[in-house]
Amino acid sequence: MVPAQLLDDPQFLPFRLDPVAKRILFVKLDAQQRAAASFLDERILGTDPQGAWLSLETLAEPPLGPGTCHFIFHIGHCGSTLLSRLLQSWPHNQVLREPLPLRTLAATWSELDSISSRFSRAEWQQVLRQTIAWLARPMRPATETLIKATSSCNSLIEPILGSFPQARSILLDMGLRPYLATLLKSSGSLHDAASAAPDRLRFLQEQVGDDPELALHRISLPQQCAMGWVAERLRFQSLANGDPQRVLHLDFDHFLSSPDTSLRNIARHLDWDEAFVSHAMASPAWARYSKAQEHRYAPADRSHDLEHSLRLHAAEISSAEDFVRRLRQRHPVLNDRLG
């Protein structure tokens, strides 16, 4: 197949963005691969993947208009993969989880004003529109796409909503204590939170102003996790309050406590048929570990693990909660904005 002809075949999906060479890799992924994948990265590729690199100049105009794609953004390790699997119960909906090009776009967004930036702002906005337009192209029988972004991509929420006026977003997080307990029970989760801390700190500093106590070298890793929670809760609350028609802020524990009601709220938010809520409630995903469907893991298992982590890491959690209390005292504006 001639590389340019890949654009005529919806099986080919934008897989990797190269900002240095200004090109994008399209890879062939069928509907079953997309539906099963927890991460659209190297882990999904077989031994002989089909695809080709295309110059970004080849993608001069997005192939699809706005409104064909909705999004899940999240704080990380907060049930977003489960939610995305439940939303596959709507047969018109194609779900893509954590596509690599969005991670690259988020990384390059933070560099746009630096001397090392590979894109001007106008170029970056065009690449964002092009990439999402091609990601949004569904495969039959789907007619719509839902993208669950990686937690490092939350800086993309506003640019995406600005570029795609009909797109809607679900912003998912959870309360501070269960979030800390979730992270502390897994070294991998802690690593993810530590990696996200610098960007989250920059966002928080933009919200509260200069604060010498807000420096990564001055706070412990659990406190960095709490700082990240504050930053993302601020971001999510602000976006939801500013555009409630397009942005739904959802707490995962509230979702688990009333899943039927929550799914109906989500369906109304996305303008989807509420009849399929019953399909989502009956989904086998409820009883499986979302990122590895071969393992059983029900909400009761999660509750057990959280209670164990809360006991095991009580001192670290208390220290992190104290950090947030002191932060609120220094910046009273947070009390209204965090709830």
Side-chain angles (χ1 to χ4, degrees):
M1 178 179 289
V2 177
Q5 292 178 340
L6 301 181
L7 302 180
D8 298 326
D9 187 345
Q11 292 189 91
F12 285 88
L13 192 74
F15 187 77
R16 182 183 290 280
L17 175 64
D18 180 354
V20 176
K22 304 290 182 69
R23 59 180 186 165
I24 191 164
L25 174 65
F26 278 72
V27 171
K28 187 176 183 180
L29 298 171
D30 63 30
Q32 290 72 31
Q33 288 175 298
R34 300 177 192 205
S38 296
F39 307 93
L40 286 172
D41 59 18
E42 290 82 357
R43 284 167 281 191
I44 195 176
L45 297 180
T47 56
D48 187 24
Q50 298 182 50
W53 288 97
L54 296 177
S55 167
L56 290 174
E57 294 179 355
T58 306
L59 309 178
E61 294 294 334
L64 297 173
T68 60
C69 193
H70 301 306
F71 297 85
I72 297 173
F73 293 97
H74 58 100
I75 195 172
H77 307 284
C78 62
S80 60
T81 304
L82 172 60
L83 177 60
S84 70
R85 292 194 182 279
L86 296 174
L87 296 183
Q88 287 179 187
S89 301
W90 276 259
H92 79 286
N93 177 40
Q94 167 186 254
V95 174
L96 304 177
R97 279 176 279 272
E98 308 206 11
L100 277 173
L102 293 191
R103 299 189 216 174
T104 305
L105 283 163
T108 53
W109 167 258
S110 65
E111 302 170 353
L112 281 180
D113 294 324
S114 72
I115 194 170
S116 61
S117 178
R118 302 293 179 176
F119 297 113
S120 69
R121 286 190 171 270
E123 288 173 334
W124 185 91
Q125 290 282 356
Q126 181 177 357
V127 175
L128 175 74
R129 291 192 299 269
Q130 292 166 341
T131 302
I132 290 176
W134 288 109
L135 285 170
R137 183 173 57 166
M139 294 182 61
R140 294 180 181 178
T143 58
E144 195 167 305
T145 298
L146 177 75
I147 296 176
K148 184 189 92 81
T150 308
S151 60
S152 61
C153 294
N154 292 341
S155 60
L156 299 181
I157 301 172
E158 289 184 274
I160 285 174
L161 292 176
S163 295
F164 293 86
Q166 295 182 36
R168 299 194 176 190
S169 289
I170 300 164
L171 310 183
L172 185 66
D173 61 11
M174 61 174 67
L176 179 59
R177 280 179 66 80
Y179 178 65
L180 292 169
T182 299
L183 296 184
L184 288 166
K185 69 185 179 69
S186 166
S187 60
S189 301
L190 276 177
H191 174 76
D192 289 346
S195 298
D199 284 338
R200 290 173 173 173
L201 176 60
R202 280 192 291 271
F203 177 83
L204 181 56
Q205 289 171 329
E206 291 171 359
Q207 306 304 305
V208 302
D210 183 51
D211 183 345
E213 297 298 317
L214 276 177
L216 294 182
H217 70 275
R218 299 178 67 101
I219 59 179
S220 67
L221 184 52
Q223 291 170 342
Q224 290 181 32
C225 295
M227 177 278 299
W229 177 88
V230 171
E232 295 298 358
R233 177 61 66 100
L234 279 176
R235 190 199 310 266
F236 288 1
Q237 288 281 61
S238 176
L239 289 166
N241 292 339
D243 195 354
Q245 295 300 315
R246 300 178 63 204
V247 179
L248 177 66
H249 185 193
L250 183 65
D251 181 290
F252 184 61
D253 285 298
H254 292 168
F255 173 81
L256 290 181
S257 68
S258 54
D260 184 272
T261 299
S262 296
L263 287 166
R264 291 187 184 281
N265 288 338
I266 290 170
R268 287 192 289 271
H269 176 67
L270 299 177
D271 196 26
W272 289 0
D273 188 348
E274 290 185 50
F276 288 96
V277 168
S278 60
H279 295 229
M281 291 295 296
S283 170
W286 286 108
R288 297 289 175 182
Y289 183 60
S290 296
K291 289 183 171 64
Q293 291 281 279
E294 66 273 18
H295 299 297
R296 295 191 61 82
Y297 195 78
D301 299 310
R302 173 181 179 270
S303 296
H304 176 272
D305 287 350
L306 284 182
E307 289 298 325
H308 177 72
S309 182
L310 287 168
R311 293 191 301 271
L312 184 63
H313 301 288
E316 296 101 316
I317 291 171
S318 178
S319 172
E321 289 177 322
D322 286 342
F323 168 83
V324 173
R325 279 192 287 270
R326 293 194 301 272
L327 185 62
R328 283 176 178 260
Q329 289 170 357
R330 294 197 305 276
H331 304 284
V333 67
L334 294 179
N335 296 320
D336 291 333
R337 296 182 63 187
L338 287 177

